[in-house]
Amino acid sequence: MGIVLGIESSCDETAAALVTTDRRIVAQRIASQDAEHAPFGGVVPEIAARAHADRLAPMVEAVMREGGLELHELDAIAATAGPGLIGGVMVGLVTAKALAMAGEVPLIAVNHLEGHALSPRLADPSLAFPYALLLVSGGHCQILRVEGLGRYRRLATTIDDALGEAFDKTAKILGLGFPGGPAVERLAREGDPRAVPLPRPLVGSGEPHFSFAGLKSAVLRARESGRYRDADIAASFQQAALDCVVDRLALALDAMEPVPALVVAGGVAANRAIRGALEELAEGRGLRFVAPPPALCTDNAAMIAWAGCERIGQSDPLDIAARPRWPLDPGAEPVRGAGYKA
Ligand code: KG4
Ligand code: ZN
């Protein structure tokens, strides 16, 4: 059995965790920076980097103490090396490099998206490759065929906003604060999902890509019209987003080589309505449905430590660079209309 220290600092969560190769989360700490970013309605990169720099070292100290371990007893130190806000990524990666040197243990530079993509395997030991993955977070919205460690085929991405971003913008329009996803989900429970006519961008189109910018603009117009209750807008938005996801995913599943399981990961995977709809889609196609517990869906260090566990035996050089962009499938065709997106 091996044990890996994981470090996450790519966005607005500072986190450290110890995870074993037999899937035990021995210790973990996570600090959200919601309060610091809330006044700005979104993550401010400079504030995030400074907060990571202040908090990370004591968190690492705390998990090591709780695990009763010295640095040299670790099998590896895994840190997010991208994609993400570069200042924050550098804080985590440089910390991991220093710890790896001090403990004379291998450094593993983890792709944050791979952390999300493999997190369902931490939660569910029986989940084997290959599987279809819907990866939905604040920065990413992709459908992938996960074929093995480091082998990802991207079938779809967003041509504008990510799904989490659409939730966050809807929350902002409704004055629900930041981060918006959980607040929109809560309010949606009190609303009628059919009350507000909203578009389903790209539904029915021949390629399984996503687009949410038009939906967000329609939410804004609905709010400004003054004709609808906020709860009805939230519920109708969530329903429209969910219809898009199910339609796009169904198309992607048709297009990919068959897989036995449908998996969802990333922050938006914490959304119960979306989990329910995906479960139904999977059931209808005779696929297993796997979704990690919500705490493993939003950014955390256990998933980074787990990606390190999956890669145990490998090591990266101490001069490896932090990467603001790092696509899981570098060979994926660029999508017309999309800027360069990881
Ligand atoms: O994976 P994550 O923690 O960070 C990124 O890598 O982006 O995802 C954060 C995103 C945010 O946009 C947040 O609003 C969304 O996930 N989110 C949710 C829910 N919980 C988090 N969206 C909808 N419903 C939720 N319950
Ligand atoms: Zn993430």
PDB file of all heavy atoms in Angstrom, residues 17 27 31 34 51 58 68 76 88 90 119 190 203 215 243 321 323:
ATOM      1  N   ALA A  17      -4.451  16.864   1.187  1.00  0.00           N
ATOM      2  CA  ALA A  17      -5.036  15.597   1.624  1.00  0.00           C
ATOM      3  C   ALA A  17      -4.022  14.473   1.530  1.00  0.00           C
ATOM      4  O   ALA A  17      -3.099  14.519   0.707  1.00  0.00           O
ATOM      5  CB  ALA A  17      -6.259  15.251   0.768  1.00  0.00           C
ATOM      6  N   ALA A  27      -6.442  11.922   5.816  1.00  0.00           N
ATOM      7  CA  ALA A  27      -6.640  13.249   6.409  1.00  0.00           C
ATOM      8  C   ALA A  27      -6.866  14.235   5.283  1.00  0.00           C
ATOM      9  O   ALA A  27      -6.321  14.052   4.193  1.00  0.00           O
ATOM     10  CB  ALA A  27      -5.411  13.660   7.219  1.00  0.00           C
ATOM     11  N   ALA A  31      -9.962  24.836   2.460  1.00  0.00           N
ATOM     12  CA  ALA A  31     -10.416  26.175   2.832  1.00  0.00           C
ATOM     13  C   ALA A  31     -10.928  26.861   1.590  1.00  0.00           C
ATOM     14  O   ALA A  31     -10.226  26.951   0.584  1.00  0.00           O
ATOM     15  CB  ALA A  31      -9.264  26.978   3.433  1.00  0.00           C
ATOM     16  N   ASP A  34     -14.493  31.797  -0.577  1.00  0.00           N
ATOM     17  CA  ASP A  34     -15.745  32.450  -0.996  1.00  0.00           C
ATOM     18  C   ASP A  34     -15.878  33.865  -0.434  1.00  0.00           C
ATOM     19  O   ASP A  34     -16.234  34.793  -1.154  1.00  0.00           O
ATOM     20  CB  ASP A  34     -16.957  31.624  -0.547  1.00  0.00           C
ATOM     21  CG  ASP A  34     -17.081  30.330  -1.340  1.00  0.00           C
ATOM     22  OD1 ASP A  34     -16.343  30.188  -2.332  1.00  0.00           O
ATOM     23  OD2 ASP A  34     -17.905  29.485  -0.963  1.00  0.00           O
ATOM     24  N   ALA A  51      -4.100  34.174  -1.036  1.00  0.00           N
ATOM     25  CA  ALA A  51      -4.749  33.346  -0.014  1.00  0.00           C
ATOM     26  C   ALA A  51      -4.131  31.938   0.011  1.00  0.00           C
ATOM     27  O   ALA A  51      -3.907  31.376   1.087  1.00  0.00           O
ATOM     28  CB  ALA A  51      -6.251  33.272  -0.274  1.00  0.00           C
ATOM     29  N   PRO A  58       0.386  25.708   6.401  1.00  0.00           N
ATOM     30  CA  PRO A  58      -0.211  25.174   7.644  1.00  0.00           C
ATOM     31  C   PRO A  58      -1.173  24.003   7.403  1.00  0.00           C
ATOM     32  O   PRO A  58      -1.292  23.117   8.251  1.00  0.00           O
ATOM     33  CB  PRO A  58      -0.985  26.371   8.223  1.00  0.00           C
ATOM     34  CG  PRO A  58      -0.470  27.579   7.523  1.00  0.00           C
ATOM     35  CD  PRO A  58       0.117  27.149   6.223  1.00  0.00           C
ATOM     36  N   GLY A  68       0.086  11.303  11.085  1.00  0.00           N
ATOM     37  CA  GLY A  68       1.209  10.773  11.853  1.00  0.00           C
ATOM     38  C   GLY A  68       2.388  10.393  10.964  1.00  0.00           C
ATOM     39  O   GLY A  68       3.091   9.412  11.224  1.00  0.00           O
ATOM     40  N   ALA A  76       4.718   9.646  -2.625  1.00  0.00           N
ATOM     41  CA  ALA A  76       4.808  10.710  -3.629  1.00  0.00           C
ATOM     42  C   ALA A  76       4.104  11.949  -3.103  1.00  0.00           C
ATOM     43  O   ALA A  76       3.287  11.863  -2.176  1.00  0.00           O
ATOM     44  CB  ALA A  76       4.161  10.279  -4.942  1.00  0.00           C
ATOM     45  N   GLY A  88      -2.087  30.870  -8.480  1.00  0.00           N
ATOM     46  CA  GLY A  88      -2.458  29.845  -7.503  1.00  0.00           C
ATOM     47  C   GLY A  88      -1.792  28.516  -7.803  1.00  0.00           C
ATOM     48  O   GLY A  88      -1.276  27.842  -6.903  1.00  0.00           O
ATOM     49  N   MET A  90       0.985  28.037  -9.255  1.00  0.00           N
ATOM     50  CA  MET A  90       2.406  28.129  -8.915  1.00  0.00           C
ATOM     51  C   MET A  90       2.638  27.974  -7.413  1.00  0.00           C
ATOM     52  O   MET A  90       3.599  27.327  -6.996  1.00  0.00           O
ATOM     53  CB  MET A  90       2.989  29.449  -9.431  1.00  0.00           C
ATOM     54  CG  MET A  90       3.210  29.408 -10.934  1.00  0.00           C
ATOM     55  SD  MET A  90       3.573  30.992 -11.666  1.00  0.00           S
ATOM     56  CE  MET A  90       5.204  31.291 -11.018  1.00  0.00           C
ATOM     57  N   SER A 119     -11.578  11.030 -10.111  1.00  0.00           N
ATOM     58  CA  SER A 119     -12.172  11.047  -8.763  1.00  0.00           C
ATOM     59  C   SER A 119     -13.264   9.988  -8.580  1.00  0.00           C
ATOM     60  O   SER A 119     -13.382   9.417  -7.489  1.00  0.00           O
ATOM     61  CB  SER A 119     -12.707  12.444  -8.417  1.00  0.00           C
ATOM     62  OG  SER A 119     -13.776  12.811  -9.278  1.00  0.00           O
ATOM     63  N   GLU A 190     -37.969  25.562  -5.203  1.00  0.00           N
ATOM     64  CA  GLU A 190     -39.246  26.244  -4.878  1.00  0.00           C
ATOM     65  C   GLU A 190     -39.952  26.768  -6.115  1.00  0.00           C
ATOM     66  O   GLU A 190     -40.996  27.417  -6.013  1.00  0.00           O
ATOM     67  CB  GLU A 190     -38.981  27.420  -3.933  1.00  0.00           C
ATOM     68  CG  GLU A 190     -38.465  27.009  -2.574  1.00  0.00           C
ATOM     69  CD  GLU A 190     -37.700  28.147  -1.891  1.00  0.00           C
ATOM     70  OE1 GLU A 190     -38.022  29.318  -2.147  1.00  0.00           O
ATOM     71  OE2 GLU A 190     -36.781  27.845  -1.121  1.00  0.00           O
ATOM     72  N   VAL A 203     -29.424  22.231 -28.847  1.00  0.00           N
ATOM     73  CA  VAL A 203     -30.159  20.965 -28.757  1.00  0.00           C
ATOM     74  C   VAL A 203     -30.648  20.563 -30.144  1.00  0.00           C
ATOM     75  O   VAL A 203     -31.191  21.387 -30.883  1.00  0.00           O
ATOM     76  CB  VAL A 203     -31.334  21.061 -27.755  1.00  0.00           C
ATOM     77  CG1 VAL A 203     -32.364  19.954 -27.987  1.00  0.00           C
ATOM     78  CG2 VAL A 203     -30.808  20.976 -26.334  1.00  0.00           C
ATOM     79  N   LEU A 215     -28.476  31.104 -23.266  1.00  0.00           N
ATOM     80  CA  LEU A 215     -29.377  30.772 -22.152  1.00  0.00           C
ATOM     81  C   LEU A 215     -29.248  31.824 -21.053  1.00  0.00           C
ATOM     82  O   LEU A 215     -30.253  32.307 -20.500  1.00  0.00           O
ATOM     83  CB  LEU A 215     -29.050  29.367 -21.627  1.00  0.00           C
ATOM     84  CG  LEU A 215     -29.818  28.885 -20.402  1.00  0.00           C
ATOM     85  CD1 LEU A 215     -31.326  28.940 -20.626  1.00  0.00           C
ATOM     86  CD2 LEU A 215     -29.392  27.448 -20.040  1.00  0.00           C
ATOM     87  N   ASP A 243     -31.780  19.859 -19.788  1.00  0.00           N
ATOM     88  CA  ASP A 243     -32.223  19.342 -21.087  1.00  0.00           C
ATOM     89  C   ASP A 243     -31.062  19.372 -22.094  1.00  0.00           C
ATOM     90  O   ASP A 243     -30.896  18.439 -22.884  1.00  0.00           O
ATOM     91  CB  ASP A 243     -33.394  20.172 -21.642  1.00  0.00           C
ATOM     92  CG  ASP A 243     -34.685  19.946 -20.855  1.00  0.00           C
ATOM     93  OD1 ASP A 243     -34.737  18.979 -20.065  1.00  0.00           O
ATOM     94  OD2 ASP A 243     -35.630  20.740 -21.025  1.00  0.00           O
ATOM     95  N   ALA A 321       6.962  22.949 -15.345  1.00  0.00           N
ATOM     96  CA  ALA A 321       6.309  24.263 -15.292  1.00  0.00           C
ATOM     97  C   ALA A 321       4.825  24.148 -14.961  1.00  0.00           C
ATOM     98  O   ALA A 321       4.173  23.167 -15.314  1.00  0.00           O
ATOM     99  CB  ALA A 321       6.471  24.964 -16.641  1.00  0.00           C
ATOM    100  N   ARG A 323       1.065  25.163 -15.708  1.00  0.00           N
ATOM    101  CA  ARG A 323       0.438  25.426 -17.014  1.00  0.00           C
ATOM    102  C   ARG A 323      -0.946  26.030 -16.862  1.00  0.00           C
ATOM    103  O   ARG A 323      -1.835  25.402 -16.302  1.00  0.00           O
ATOM    104  CB  ARG A 323       0.300  24.107 -17.785  1.00  0.00           C
ATOM    105  CG  ARG A 323       1.616  23.434 -18.041  1.00  0.00           C
ATOM    106  CD  ARG A 323       1.408  22.103 -18.741  1.00  0.00           C
ATOM    107  NE  ARG A 323       0.752  22.279 -20.042  1.00  0.00           N
ATOM    108  CZ  ARG A 323       0.611  21.289 -20.936  1.00  0.00           C
ATOM    109  NH1 ARG A 323       1.066  20.080 -20.669  1.00  0.00           N
ATOM    110  NH2 ARG A 323       0.022  21.521 -22.073  1.00  0.00           N
TER     111      ARG A 323
END
